[in-house]
């Protein structure tokens, strides 16, 4: 069964493809600068969904000898490509066309066609946004976060990209409607051209945010204190572990962690028994869906123990 992220991307791709085709026809018929910007925006989004589908597929591959930490970071690489595509094919094209319309305006007409296409686009984009919002809200509730906070902090780049792009699409449609309406009302192409520029600026801001988030995870994004506490409790729940003195957690993919810990084994076991106990705990930790690899080493007697409130329930991985 497809994951929730995959379903979100597929729905967004279908919606963007229909919307892009409709906006292109409307842009040709009306000559509206805002509609041309919206057309470029939707075609950029459609192409980006292909990158996100590749991200979902490649990042889900099981680790092998060539990639001992798995392929999870592929999601951030392909999501980065999608963000660059949004910036170049969406933001740059929209701003350039708006500026051209300011200095060399072209006549526009058939405004009713533009309004109909914008309304249909709003419904389709809204349906895609609802799916992305539901996925983000479900994850946020598990982690006791606000929905927008979860979108920004989540280790799932495809969910974040679809949520951001659909949000920008809905806002962009409102900007385009206002630009076209003022163009029709005043007879001046200035509002329409400004609408194209504002849509481009909006896409540029969204693209920069997405690029920055993917960059953070590619270079080694740390975890929140809540998640660190959760994983420490999971380690300490094993009866072989007496205390924990060091814990390193790093995202190696969406909801996938690399765990390194220094621990003290219960009792005074012989060397080979300690080795067996450590390997057993590592394998048990890796049996959890969220731990890609666990590495445990022995703590020295002088190292202070890490202290966590074990009464707090463990949240899900981000």
């Amino acid at each position: 069964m497809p994951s929730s992220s995959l379903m979100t991307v597929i729905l967004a791709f279908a919606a963007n493809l229909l919307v892009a085709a409709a906006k292109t026809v409307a842009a040709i018929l009306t000559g509206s600068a805002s509609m041309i910007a919206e057309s470029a925006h939707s075609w950029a989004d459609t192409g980006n969904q292909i990158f996100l589908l590749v991200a979902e597929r490649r990042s889900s591959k099981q680790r092998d000898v060539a990639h001992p930490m798995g392929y999870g970071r592929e999601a951030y690489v392909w999501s980065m490509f999608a963000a660059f595509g949004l910036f170049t094919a969406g933001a740059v094209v929209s701003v350039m066309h708006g500026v051209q319309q300011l200095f060399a305006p072209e006549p526009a007409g058939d405004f009713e066609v533009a309004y109909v296409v914008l309304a249909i686009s709003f419904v389709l984009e809204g349906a895609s946004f609802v799916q992305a919002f539901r996925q983000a809200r479900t994850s946020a509730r598990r982690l006791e976060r606000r929905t927008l906070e979860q979108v920004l902090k989540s280790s799932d780049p495809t969910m974040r990209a679809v949520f951001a792009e659909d949000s920008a699409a809905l806002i962009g449609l409102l900007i385009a409607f206002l630009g076209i309406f003022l163009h029709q009302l005043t007879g001046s192409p200035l509002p329409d051209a400004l609408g194209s520029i504002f849509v481009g600026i909006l896409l540029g801001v969204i693209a920069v945010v997405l690029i920055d988030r993917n960059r953070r995870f590619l270079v080694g994004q740390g975890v929140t204190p809540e998640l660190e506490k959760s994983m420490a409790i999971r380690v300490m729940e094993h009866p072989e572990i007496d205390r924990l003195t060091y814990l390193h957690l790093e995202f190696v993919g969406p909801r996938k962690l690399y765990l390194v810990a220094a621990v003290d084994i219960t009792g005074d076991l012989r060397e080979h028994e300690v080795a067996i106990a450590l390997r057993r705990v590592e394998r048990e930790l890796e049996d959890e869906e969220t731990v890609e690899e666990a590495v445990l080493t022995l703590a020295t007697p002088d190292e202070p123990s890490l202290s966590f409130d074990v009464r707090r329930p463990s949240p899900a991985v981000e």
Side-chain angles (χ1 to χ4, degrees), residues 21 39 63 80 118 124 132 155 174 205 219 261 286 297 306 314:
S39 175
R63 62 178 179 169
M80 181 80 83
L118 288 176
L124 293 174
S155 63
L174 296 176
V205 171
V219 300
E286 290 173 356
T297 185
L306 298 180
S314 302

Side-chain angles (χ1 to χ4, degrees), residues 41 44-45 48-49 52 75-87 148 151-154 156-168 202-218 221:
H41 175 189
D45 281 353
N48 289 345
Q49 304 312 317
L52 297 180
Y76 306 118
V77 173
W78 291 95
S79 296
M80 181 80 83
F81 291 159
F84 277 119
L86 182 66
F87 185 83
L148 185 57
V151 171
L152 291 173
K153 291 184 176 181
S154 174
D156 184 349
T158 55
M159 180 273 290
R160 176 168 40 250
V162 174
F163 186 99
E165 290 177 7
D166 285 348
S167 300
L202 172 66
L203 297 182
V205 171
I206 294 295
V208 169
V209 171
L210 293 177
I211 289 169
D212 178 68
R213 294 309 302 169
N214 284 301
R215 177 192 63 80
R216 290 171 181 264
F217 281 97
L218 280 173
Q221 174 71 51

Side-chain angles (χ1 to χ4, degrees), residues 123-205:
V123 172
L124 293 174
E125 295 282 10
S128 176
F129 175 76
V130 167
Q131 168 65 20
F133 180 82
R134 285 176 176 171
Q135 182 188 350
R137 184 177 61 180
T138 299
S139 300
R141 285 178 174 173
R142 287 201 306 266
L143 295 165
E144 300 178 1
R145 289 176 175 170
R146 297 194 215 37
T147 301
L148 185 57
E149 181 186 9
Q150 172 61 12
V151 171
L152 291 173
K153 291 184 176 181
S154 174
S155 63
D156 184 349
T158 55
M159 180 273 290
R160 176 168 40 250
V162 174
F163 186 99
E165 290 177 7
D166 285 348
S167 300
L170 294 175
I171 297 172
L173 288 170
L174 296 176
I175 294 173
F177 169 79
L178 184 61
I180 294 170
F181 176 73
L182 291 176
H183 187 172
Q184 182 184 19
L185 185 66
T186 64
S188 170
L190 178 62
D192 202 2
L194 290 177
S196 178
I197 294 173
F198 289 151
V199 168
I201 293 173
L202 172 66
L203 297 182
V205 171

Side-chain angles (χ1 to χ4, degrees), residues 12 18 71 76 86 103 120 122 157 190 192 206 214 272 296 300:
L18 293 173
Y71 292 80
Y76 306 118
L86 182 66
F103 292 98
I120 294 173
F122 197 88
L190 178 62
D192 202 2
I206 294 295
N214 284 301
H272 76 278
L296 300 183
T300 59

Side-chain angles (χ1 to χ4, degrees), residues 89-130:
V92 174
V93 170
S94 297
V95 171
M96 287 181 59
H97 185 74
V99 172
Q100 290 172 355
Q101 284 293 100
L102 284 177
F103 292 98
E106 298 178 0
D110 294 323
F111 294 104
E112 294 77 11
V113 174
Y115 295 142
V116 170
V117 170
L118 288 176
I120 294 173
S121 300
F122 197 88
V123 172
L124 293 174
E125 295 282 10
S128 176
F129 175 76
V130 167

